[in-house]
Amino acid sequence: LEVSLAELLKAFGIGAAAVTLGVEWVDWLARRLSLRRGARGPLKEVLFFPSPSACVEHLYAPAGALSCSCPLPHGVDTPFARLLGHLLSAGATLDLCVFSFSNASLSRAVLLLHSRGVAVRVITDREYMTIVGSQIGTLRRAGICVRHELSNAVHMHHKFVLVDGKKLLTGSLNWTVTAVQSNKENVLVTEDPDLVGPYQEEFCRLWEASDPTSQNQSDCHQGTAGSQ
Amino acid sequence: LEVSLAELLKAFGIGAAAVTLGVEWVDWLARRLSLRRGARGPLKEVLFFPSPSACVEHLYAPAGALSCSCPLPHGVDTPFARLLGHLLSAGATLDLCVFSFSNASLSRAVLLLHSRGVAVRVITDREYMTIVGSQIGTLRRAGICVRHELSNAVHMHHKFVLVDGKKLLTGSLNWTVTAVQSNKENVLVTEDPDLVGPYQEEFCRLWEASDPTSQNQSDCHQGTAGSQ
């Protein structure tokens, strides 16, 4: 078979056109998909408190939502309901670093996650471990790992949570009833890895620094033993 | 001129190849540029406390930086120095919404901004207006507008600042010496409009709601009159 240079070039041109058009189309498709992701971007949300009271039973037990007959308004998307929803979205881990924890509704959420097999770690302030209404004892008795600042001189004043190591909730809100229902408070929610990353590192740093055995062993057994 | 269908198709193929290759190259260039913009993105930073002590004189008076002979380490970029730097970057407005404010170094920064003509507005907690060491009286005597929660029942527990309406600093840190030098605290810094916007709206909402005249007039005169 004899082929001239001109014909070879033309054939090459057609082949190149077909390939680049194909590449272009795949590329266009990929960009469409990535643009759609980009426009949505990582989750970011701001919640302001006090939160109006509303029934949140459906968040704890989605199946039993219709059966709740409490007198609170139903089906209202309050800041507290959104906070609870973010917490209950945890599927693998919940790292909680909060100064004071006396809110029973939030305690119930943490216990529910623990019963579902989510690995829960709690760091709290030393002084606020055992104050009246503290939920720390309840968490420990359920077998949840709790650590506190070892020094007497300083406060562990953070109020942040990491959900599955990829969603951060941080702000002014302590886990008390007053904070949720009365105070002016804010919680910023983000899945931006540039923000989540430093908080996850800080959590791990504090977790190790608050290890009561000082040998970097888990104090889970101490927790289940019922020590408060 | 007589052209066969086959030749026409081939010529069309070559032309299409040239055009798509050109488009591909321009597109590649555009994506390179936009990716570079995306990577830089809006400012985001996380500061953790306690902050090591270091000299911050150069931040108040850049010209006199070399002349400071205090015994603190010099030229160290601490979390507190970065916080101060963000505050002192204000050129037009500083909206401060903080539960307790007794840190003299931060008060000095706010007074400096006020003297430079930056419009400063402060919202603080009612109970923490006049506690020992509170800087609120000093700010008011200098003519800075300060408002507080009017209700006795709730705490204004926020700890956030808006710099020029486009940079947000929020977290657990109250403006006290203990918070900066001793406690475990966090401050998230961002220029993401999706996060800054809601906080700016919250500030304006609280500012109006805390107006003591209830007629949405500024209480600046009240402030300059020296009432604490």
Side-chain angles (χ1 to χ4, degrees):
Chain A
L1 185 65
E2 197 180 315
V3 185
S4 74
L5 183 65
E7 276 177 331
L8 197 69
L9 281 174
K10 282 174 194 171
F12 176 77
I14 292 167
V19 167
T20 47
L21 280 171
V23 166
E24 186 76 6
W25 182 81
V26 169
D27 184 61
W28 172 84
L29 198 73
R31 267 180 298 146
R32 278 286 298 231
L33 291 170
S34 96
L35 268 179
R36 208 170 283 168
R37 266 204 307 279
R40 211 176 48 206
L43 166 77
K44 42 193 169 184
E45 185 177 356
V46 185
L47 306 173
F48 289 107
F49 294 79
S51 177
S53 288
C55 179
V56 288
E57 279 304 312
H58 59 291
L59 295 173
Y60 297 107
L66 294 172
S67 63
C68 180
S69 58
C70 77
L72 292 172
H74 286 69
V76 187
D77 192 25
T78 64
F80 182 66
R82 296 201 62 77
L83 171 68
L84 212 51
H86 284 303
L87 296 174
L88 289 169
S89 74
T93 64
L94 186 83
D95 287 337
L96 172 57
C97 194
V98 66
F99 178 62
S100 61
F101 187 168
S102 57
N103 188 307
S105 302
L106 290 170
S107 175
R108 184 179 165 198
V110 172
L111 291 169
L112 180 59
L113 290 174
H114 177 64
S115 75
R116 282 182 192 162
V118 171
V120 179
R121 296 188 290 182
V122 179
I123 305 178
T124 187
D125 190 61
R126 185 190 182 93
E127 279 182 39
Y128 281 74
M129 291 280 287
T130 53
I131 55 157
V132 176
S134 170
Q135 294 293 322
I136 298 300
T138 310
L139 300 182
R140 286 199 145 179
R141 280 189 292 275
I144 293 174
C145 308
V146 180
R147 292 186 180 178
H148 60 78
E149 181 63 46
L150 296 177
S151 156
N152 270 326
V154 302
H155 279 305
M156 199 307 292
H157 201 242
H158 289 303
K159 306 104 172 48
F160 71 83
V161 201
L162 292 150
V163 179
D164 292 332
K166 64 182 189 199
K167 190 193 283 182
L168 165 72
L169 289 80
T170 186
S172 67
L173 189 96
N174 282 309
W175 283 28
T176 67
V177 173
T178 307
V180 169
Q181 294 185 357
S182 304
N183 287 352
K184 302 289 194 297
E185 308 270 6
N186 69 85
V187 174
L188 187 155
V189 188
T190 179
E191 284 183 343
D192 186 334
D194 293 341
L195 295 172
V196 176
Y199 281 88
Q200 187 67 65
E201 284 168 27
E202 174 75 355
F203 186 90
C204 292
R205 211 162 29 230
L206 291 178
W207 186 253
E208 295 306 324
S210 306
D211 182 355
T213 68
S214 297
Q215 292 165 340
N216 293 345
Q217 294 170 354
S218 165
D219 68 342
C220 263
H221 292 294
Q222 235 175 297
T224 44
S227 72
Q228 199 172 327
Chain B
L1 186 66
E2 199 180 314
V3 184
S4 75
L5 184 63
E7 277 178 332
L8 198 68
L9 280 173
K10 283 175 192 168
F12 176 75
I14 292 168
V19 167
T20 47
L21 280 171
V23 165
E24 186 76 4
W25 183 81
V26 168
D27 183 60
W28 172 84
L29 199 72
R31 268 181 297 148
R32 279 284 300 231
L33 291 170
S34 95
L35 270 179
R36 208 170 285 169
R37 266 204 306 279
R40 210 176 48 210
L43 166 78
K44 43 194 168 183
E45 185 178 354
V46 185
L47 306 173
F48 290 107
F49 294 78
S51 178
S53 289
C55 179
V56 288
E57 279 304 310
H58 59 290
L59 295 172
Y60 297 109
L66 294 171
S67 64
C68 180
S69 58
C70 77
L72 292 172
H74 285 70
V76 187
D77 193 25
T78 65
F80 182 66
R82 296 201 62 78
L83 171 67
L84 212 50
H86 284 304
L87 296 173
L88 289 169
S89 74
T93 63
L94 186 83
D95 288 337
L96 172 58
C97 193
V98 66
F99 178 60
S100 61
F101 187 167
S102 57
N103 188 306
S105 301
L106 290 169
S107 175
R108 184 178 164 198
V110 173
L111 291 168
L112 181 60
L113 291 173
H114 178 64
S115 75
R116 282 181 191 162
V118 171
V120 178
R121 295 187 291 182
V122 178
I123 305 177
T124 188
D125 190 62
R126 185 191 182 93
E127 280 183 37
Y128 281 76
M129 291 281 286
T130 54
I131 55 156
V132 176
S134 171
Q135 293 293 322
I136 298 300
T138 309
L139 300 182
R140 287 198 143 179
R141 280 188 293 274
I144 293 173
C145 308
V146 179
R147 291 184 180 178
H148 60 78
E149 182 62 48
L150 297 176
S151 156
N152 271 327
V154 301
H155 278 306
M156 199 306 292
H157 201 243
H158 288 305
K159 308 102 173 46
F160 71 83
V161 200
L162 293 150
V163 179
D164 292 332
K166 64 182 187 199
K167 189 192 286 182
L168 165 72
L169 289 81
T170 185
S172 66
L173 189 96
N174 282 307
W175 283 29
T176 66
V177 173
T178 307
V180 170
Q181 295 184 357
S182 305
N183 288 352
K184 302 289 194 294
E185 308 269 7
N186 70 83
V187 174
L188 187 156
V189 188
T190 179
E191 284 184 343
D192 185 334
D194 292 340
L195 295 171
V196 176
Y199 281 88
Q200 187 67 65
E201 284 167 28
E202 174 75 354
F203 186 90
C204 292
R205 211 163 29 231
L206 291 178
W207 187 253
E208 295 306 325
S210 307
D211 183 356
T213 67
S214 297
Q215 292 166 339
N216 293 347
Q217 293 171 355
S218 164
D219 68 342
C220 265
H221 293 297
Q222 233 175 299
T224 46
S227 71
Q228 198 173 327

